[in-house]
Amino acid sequence: ISLISALGGYLFGFDFAVISGALPFLREQFGLNEYWEGLATGSLAIGCIAGCLIAERTSGKYGRKVALMLSASIFAVSSICMALSPSLSFFLAFRFMAGIGVGMASLLSPVYIAEISPEKVRGRMVAINQLTIVLGILITNLINYSLRNSGDEAWRLMFGLGFIPSVLFFAGVLFLPESPRWLVKAGKPDTAEKVLLKLANAEYASITISSIKKSLLGDIKINYIEVFRKPYLPLLMSGISLAVLQQFCGINVVFNYTSNIFESIGANKDDQLLQTVFIGGVNLIFTLFAMSLVDKLGRKPLMLIGSGGLAVLYVFISYFLGIKSSFSTWFLLGAIAVYGTTLAPVTWVLISEIFPNKIRNAASSVTVISLWTAYFILTFTFPILAKGIGTANTFYIYAAICLIGFVFIALKIKESKGKTLEEMETVFSH
């Protein structure tokens, strides 16, 4: 169940990585300067923000399953249209549309998995979503590399191939059960119990239904304004801070602008695309490692290791990029390894589990919107910063942000390992 629903993460990974391989071709096709380059990359994030809003409404009213199917449909259409783009404006419009599909999946997949998984394996199951993201990145990077000598129009095939995983995702979701927590909230406890009985024994189903009902007592219609008020505001701000840190830590410029970074140290186009494959491979290996740790070591220790480790690695990356040394490659791969083990999967786990049942839809939506807003700012500003102050100096900024994140996590974030979603409400409300 988790693997099928996490195919939404594959779509995320695909669109995340395809731009890195396509940018050298798009620059020549549309004559992009640093501003248009940033917009071509970041327009996905603007669509993701809209996608989060659509996901919150549709999943709350019609269920997680219907919303996931809508996400897959939007992504399928946008993939074909991007591939056929006759102009830059047409391309940007459908990259925005692709962002709607990605934004919906990025919110819904981890929330759905968290709502259907037993607490003992919830972290590992939600981390499957991150696993499919990195699989999407790696497979897309491999395809991009294989198409590098296919002519100036190779980028069209790169984008068009996104149609295949989106159709597979849609077909898989047809067979998924609805979230038991959504079913109880929608007044269908008997259906919810049937779903839970397929996952575990009758005692587990009974206890879970009882806990969900208790958590929804006095439930009121929660909107975006309500989650910014007490008693929810401190918890919401923690979620937003984690989401923004995951983006402002800077690692996603390595994924999206691999060609730019390696061009700055003299690599040719073939080497630039090959580096994207190495980055995707390291990311996959260490995401698998993270899945074995998140329910053992815990969420908070991994987040501290991630933010602190990146701060140190970025200092070395800045130095070696500054002297145009190939040693920067090893530290960039090290940064990918640290991120793939820590901030990448664990942030999504925490976002999916820290909010109470009655506000999870709205609060998760606000948090993921914040994440995509931060992603847009990061990807839009990187080409501008790289030209203005140099690629090397830009990484010093990301190092400082990671250090601030380390202090925040140490002081404000509580451990959630091994607790049910209903028990978490008590932990994070104090």
Side-chain angles (χ1 to χ4, degrees):
I1 289 171
S2 296
L3 187 60
I4 291 171
S5 58
L7 283 175
Y10 186 95
L11 305 184
F12 179 172
F14 171 87
D15 241 337
F16 201 68
V18 71
I19 194 70
S20 181
L23 264 180
F25 298 96
L26 291 172
R27 280 191 211 111
E28 296 174 11
Q29 181 84 33
F30 298 124
L32 305 180
N33 60 23
E34 65 271 17
Y35 293 97
W36 285 109
E37 199 171 307
L39 190 58
T41 304
S43 56
L44 181 79
I46 303 173
C48 288
I49 294 169
C52 291
L53 295 170
I54 294 168
E56 194 275 330
R57 293 293 177 89
T58 54
S59 68
K61 188 172 183 180
Y62 302 107
R64 316 308 195 214
K65 184 172 174 175
V66 170
L68 285 167
M69 291 167 67
L70 178 61
S71 167
S73 302
I74 291 171
F75 197 89
V77 173
S78 64
S79 295
I80 296 299
C81 290
M82 281 190 290
L84 299 175
S85 296
S87 65
L88 178 60
S89 57
F90 190 95
F91 174 81
L92 291 174
F94 282 97
R95 182 147 169 86
F96 169 83
M97 183 178 175
I100 293 175
V102 172
M104 291 182 72
S106 70
L107 174 64
L108 294 167
S109 291
V111 166
Y112 172 85
I113 296 169
E115 289 186 338
I116 206 163
S117 301
E119 61 275 10
K120 290 183 181 179
V121 296
R122 188 177 63 242
R124 203 177 317 154
M125 293 300 100
V126 175
I128 288 176
N129 187 64
Q130 182 63 24
L131 174 63
T132 59
I133 291 173
V134 301
L135 277 170
I137 291 171
L138 176 58
I139 293 171
T140 303
N141 285 341
L142 285 166
I143 293 170
N144 288 350
Y145 183 69
S146 69
L147 294 172
R148 70 191 185 283
N149 296 320
S150 300
D152 294 340
E153 300 288 298
W155 64 273
R156 296 187 185 277
L157 190 53
M158 291 177 183
F159 284 104
L161 286 171
F163 180 79
I164 297 171
S166 53
V167 170
L168 292 174
F169 179 39
F170 184 93
V173 173
L174 288 172
F175 297 96
L176 291 181
E178 184 53 83
S179 159
R181 285 173 172 82
W182 180 84
L183 287 167
V184 173
K185 196 170 183 178
K188 301 176 181 179
D190 293 340
T191 308
E193 187 172 16
K194 290 177 183 176
V195 171
L196 290 166
L197 285 171
K198 293 179 181 178
L199 304 174
N201 58 31
E203 182 184 7
Y204 171 80
S206 177
I207 291 171
T208 302
I209 293 290
S210 177
S211 297
I212 296 169
K213 286 180 176 178
K214 186 177 179 182
S215 74
L216 294 173
L217 285 175
D219 190 25
I220 57 171
K221 174 65 176 176
I222 296 291
N223 56 35
Y224 291 112
I225 301 299
E226 292 298 320
V227 296
F228 282 96
R229 294 174 179 164
K230 290 184 177 181
Y232 306 122
L233 182 60
L235 189 54
L236 181 68
M237 295 311 297
S238 292
I240 289 173
S241 299
L242 290 170
V244 170
L245 172 64
Q246 194 210 46
Q247 296 304 311
F248 279 0
C249 77
I251 202 72
N252 284 334
V253 301
V254 181
F255 289 110
N256 290 160
Y257 292 107
T258 310
S259 60
N260 302 54
I261 293 169
F262 285 97
E263 186 180 37
S264 74
I265 60 171
N268 61 34
K269 188 184 289 187
D270 275 13
D271 287 339
Q272 293 165 23
L273 288 171
L274 183 59
Q275 290 298 333
T276 67
V277 176
F278 291 148
I279 285 169
V282 169
N283 197 22
L284 173 60
I285 291 167
F286 283 89
T287 298
L288 289 168
F289 183 49
M291 290 178 66
S292 68
L293 292 178
V294 69
D295 284 318
K296 294 178 182 177
L297 190 58
R299 284 57 155 162
K300 185 170 180 175
L302 287 172
M303 293 293 283
L304 288 169
I305 291 167
S307 52
L310 285 176
V312 174
L313 285 165
Y314 282 158
V315 173
F316 286 101
I317 289 168
S318 298
Y319 172 75
F320 285 113
L321 284 175
I323 62 172
K324 299 188 182 301
S325 169
S326 60
F327 275 111
S328 57
T329 300
W330 296 105
F331 288 99
L332 283 164
L333 292 174
I336 295 294
V338 170
Y339 178 75
T341 311
T342 58
L343 297 182
V346 181
T347 300
W348 289 107
V349 171
L350 284 167
I351 287 173
S352 71
E353 68 185 9
I354 64 174
F355 299 120
N357 282 330
K358 64 179 67 177
I359 69 160
R360 183 170 298 120
N361 249 28
S364 295
S365 180
V366 170
T367 302
V368 179
I369 285 170
S370 303
L371 184 147
W372 287 116
T373 302
Y375 171 72
F376 172 74
I377 294 169
L378 178 81
T379 53
F380 180 72
T381 57
F382 176 75
I384 300 167
L385 286 170
K387 185 173 183 180
I389 63 174
T391 301
N393 289 330
T394 303
F395 278 92
Y396 282 122
I397 297 174
Y398 302 146
I401 292 170
C402 288
L403 190 59
I404 294 168
F406 179 90
V407 174
F408 168 77
I409 292 163
L411 296 177
K412 297 293 185 182
I413 299 303
K414 299 175 183 178
E415 185 53 68
S416 56
K417 180 183 71 172
K419 296 178 174 63
T420 68
L421 293 181
E422 288 67 42
E423 287 171 342
M424 299 269 289
E425 299 190 21
T426 304
V427 172
F428 281 91
S429 62
H430 293 89

